[in-house]
Amino acid sequence: MTIAELLREAPRSSIQRGQLMVGNRSTGAEIAISYIVVIGAELGPTLWINGQVHGTEVSAIVAGIEFCRSLDPAELKGNVVFTASANPLALESRTWATQQDFGQNLDTSFPGRAEGFITERMAHRLFSEILDVRPDLLLSMHAQGTDFASKIYGVYKLPPNCPVEPDHLYRFLQVFEPFAVCLMRVDPASGEHPGNHAGALDYQAMAHGIPAFMVEFGVAQRSTPEEVRFGVTCYRGVCAELGMLPASACVTGNKHSRLVTARGHCNVDVGGMWQSDLQPGVLVKAGDPLGTIINFTGVVVDTVTMPMDVLVIAVRQDPVVHSGDSVAYLARQWTDLEMA
């Protein structure tokens, strides 16, 4: 049964659990996308939360499971669909991407192909279900890489002729208290990330008129009790903003943030040991040091600076760097953003 069929046919005020079959391993073990569907007592909006696209991003999964466990369908107006991991193979192998098909990035593979590589098949199965349901809001949850420190921030993308206005997203983004909200460019020359980012889950949803955005939530390969509690509060707050839960579930959020319109990695030219005292969210003036690189004899071989003012989105914590490695993820253009 598809999730759309569940939402039509399952009894109101119920919780449904199951899996969307994708394929099999060589041993016959199933490759499947697990889901929890909470069907409220009354008709109303549908919120879809996808807990993970990359296999190391785990905190939002735990928060999503606890959120669904905390929901009383009798107090819910509408439906919550939670897919824990869109990438179960990468999750099981504890890797960012799927290793079975040359490490393809799932979040550049949507809408996928039913007869393609396994990454494309996972993308196709999940996105087909989403298109059948057409939720009122889709949250695509991510996490910062293990080598970096960051704070929670949001990301959205605007396809050409997108029917969804950014202002519609801000009221939900503010619930997560993001220190920045990034309008991500997806053209190959943007300098943000390599790859086909028009193949992202949230981009493809927006292109089909489904409001969607990313949340960079926590750090990969870890989940703390504080993060889980905050995630549950945020998910409940989003439901309240949608009118699915009582007003008592509303959260104050963060009405003030920064809208980042240009960002990218700071890649170093020389290898060595990276050192920096910077924290995510700080402003660094043009010419001021981001950090230094020393060699293994203790000599400073590079002091890393930028020619313009930058806002630190994430800063590297792993000191071991090679030429071409990123030591910081930086906003280069931004304005104040009022999300209320």
Side-chain angles (χ1 to χ4, degrees):
M1 180 177 287
T2 68
I3 291 177
E5 290 170 337
L6 267 181
L7 294 177
R8 289 194 300 267
E9 300 174 17
R12 301 228 63 83
S13 195
S14 67
I15 300 177
Q16 308 293 322
R17 296 176 174 88
Q19 294 182 315
L20 306 172
M21 293 300 124
V22 180
N24 300 90
R25 290 179 175 273
S26 62
T27 59
E30 294 174 338
I31 302 169
I33 298 170
S34 298
Y35 64 78
I36 306 171
V37 175
V38 184
I39 301 173
E42 298 182 45
L43 295 172
T46 295
L47 169 65
W48 191 306
I49 304 169
N50 186 66
Q52 177 199 74
V53 172
H54 302 119
T56 55
E57 300 167 336
V58 294
S59 188
I61 295 179
V62 182
I65 292 170
E66 292 303 312
F67 164 62
C68 291
R69 283 162 49 90
S70 75
L71 283 175
D72 178 0
E75 73 169 351
L76 183 68
K77 183 178 180 181
N79 315 293
V80 170
V81 179
F82 174 67
T83 40
S85 173
N87 203 340
L89 289 176
L91 174 65
E92 290 175 359
S93 64
R94 313 302 292 124
T95 55
W96 186 76
T98 309
Q99 301 305 296
Q100 283 81 354
D101 52 9
F102 317 110
Q104 292 189 62
N105 180 358
L106 178 59
D107 212 32
T108 61
S109 300
F110 291 94
R113 289 193 301 151
E115 299 177 353
F117 288 101
I118 188 60
T119 295
E120 295 173 301
R121 292 178 185 225
M122 291 186 294
H124 179 266
R125 184 64 204 270
L126 177 64
F127 199 64
S128 296
E129 296 278 338
I130 290 170
L131 286 183
D132 284 348
V133 171
R134 297 198 64 83
D136 295 271
L137 181 66
L138 169 67
L139 305 183
S140 179
M141 303 300 293
H142 291 250
Q144 189 57 245
T146 52
D147 293 344
F148 288 79
S150 184
K151 296 162 64 177
I152 293 175
Y153 65 96
V155 182
Y156 70 96
K157 311 172 185 76
L158 286 178
N161 305 312
C162 181
V164 181
E165 293 292 334
D167 285 350
H168 180 71
L169 303 177
Y170 295 155
R171 58 184 285 225
F172 307 112
L173 273 162
Q174 59 90 19
V175 170
F176 291 90
E177 301 182 6
F179 83 96
V181 175
C182 303
L183 171 55
M184 181 176 177
R185 296 167 55 193
V186 302
D187 53 290
S190 65
E192 289 201 21
H193 295 285
N196 169 40
H197 288 280
L201 174 58
D202 55 309
Y203 182 96
Q204 286 295 318
M206 290 277 278
H208 285 82
I210 299 170
F213 56 84
M214 287 173 45
V215 179
E216 293 284 355
F217 186 85
V219 175
Q221 290 186 326
R222 78 173 197 192
S223 174
T224 68
E226 293 78 14
E227 288 169 342
V228 171
R229 285 192 289 268
F230 184 68
V232 171
T233 298
C234 290
Y235 293 152
R236 291 184 67 86
V238 170
C239 283
E241 289 289 333
L242 283 165
M244 299 170 63
L245 286 176
S248 59
C250 286
V251 298
T252 303
N254 183 7
K255 304 294 193 280
H256 312 286
S257 189
R258 301 177 179 92
L259 178 61
V260 175
T261 51
R263 59 181 181 155
H265 286 276
C266 175
N267 303 93
V268 295
D269 296 324
V270 297
M273 300 295 284
W274 163 254
Q275 295 179 310
S276 177
D277 293 329
L278 296 180
Q279 295 296 316
V282 302
L283 175 67
V284 180
K285 293 292 187 180
D288 285 353
L290 294 170
T292 58
I293 299 174
I294 60 173
N295 67 18
F296 281 80
T297 66
V299 175
V300 176
V301 292
D302 195 13
T303 298
V304 181
T305 63
M306 293 295 289
M308 76 290 285
D309 293 354
V310 293
L311 176 68
V312 177
I313 298 174
V315 62
R316 188 181 183 99
Q317 301 291 285
D318 181 357
V320 180
V321 295
H322 311 285
S323 295
D325 281 355
S326 171
V327 293
Y329 194 39
L330 306 170
R332 298 189 177 101
Q333 294 177 9
W334 66 91
T335 55
D336 291 337
L337 175 64
E338 299 296 325
M339 294 188 288

